[in-house]
Amino acid sequence: MTLFRHLHDDAFLVFSRDHKHLYAACLLDLHERFFTGVPSFPTPPEVVNAIYNVMSANPTLWNEGDDFGEALPEVISAGRRRIRRVDVTRSSAAGDKALSLARQIYSRLLNWGWLEEEEYGLRVTVDMAMGPLL
């Protein structure tokens, strides 16, 4: 089948890991938010922010051991390379852990071939690979 020729060898690892439902929710959200309709060329912090928002909107997708307790603080992209909290006074270890997990999910999606980083001069944007888009 010609579809599998365009997929990364490890593309389906995302659906065989512990948080497969979270990965599926993240991929669906990223596809709807950035890769349908008009191209938006998101930056890596914007994609990490979107993954974080999916995590905070769906706390039931985590195992019992991944208890974030309180509600996660809201974050926004602050420039090209940083993400910051909307309310700086609401600092929490759970929010920091969730943000590091969002970065980890983003890097896994890159490594497994679902997302690609493209460089245009100094700007780095994220694109969904051709196989997953098909």
Side-chain angles (χ1 to χ4, degrees):
M1 186 178 251
T2 60
L3 170 65
F4 294 106
R5 177 180 49 185
H6 300 291
L7 287 175
H8 191 272
D9 291 338
D10 297 332
F12 293 108
L13 284 177
V14 72
F15 301 117
S16 66
R17 300 296 182 206
D18 289 339
H19 303 297
K20 59 187 163 218
H21 299 291
L22 177 65
Y23 285 114
C26 289
L27 284 171
L28 288 174
D29 183 68
L30 291 175
H31 183 265
E32 289 295 319
R33 188 181 301 212
F34 297 120
F35 306 115
T36 57
V38 178
S40 62
F41 305 106
T43 61
E46 289 173 338
V47 174
V48 171
N49 186 14
I51 292 170
Y52 180 90
N53 290 338
V54 169
M55 290 171 58
S56 62
N58 300 300
T60 59
L61 296 179
W62 294 91
N63 291 333
E64 298 82 30
D66 297 329
D67 183 27
F68 290 110
E70 63 199 53
L72 299 176
E74 188 178 349
V75 297
I76 58 172
S77 296
R80 289 184 288 177
R81 301 255 183 221
R82 298 180 344 186
I83 294 177
R84 69 174 177 87
R85 289 185 188 85
V86 171
D87 184 8
V88 181
T89 60
R90 264 191 87 197
S91 177
S92 69
D96 293 337
K97 179 182 175 186
L99 192 55
S100 69
L101 286 172
R103 287 186 183 113
Q104 184 179 20
I105 289 171
Y106 171 73
S107 67
R108 284 182 177 175
L109 291 175
L110 280 176
N111 291 337
W112 290 335
W114 287 90
L115 300 175
E116 298 173 336
E117 287 185 346
E118 301 285 336
E119 293 184 23
Y120 298 103
L122 297 175
R123 182 177 165 96
V124 177
T125 61
V126 179
D127 194 13
M128 189 168 272
M130 183 175 53
L133 278 176
L134 291 175

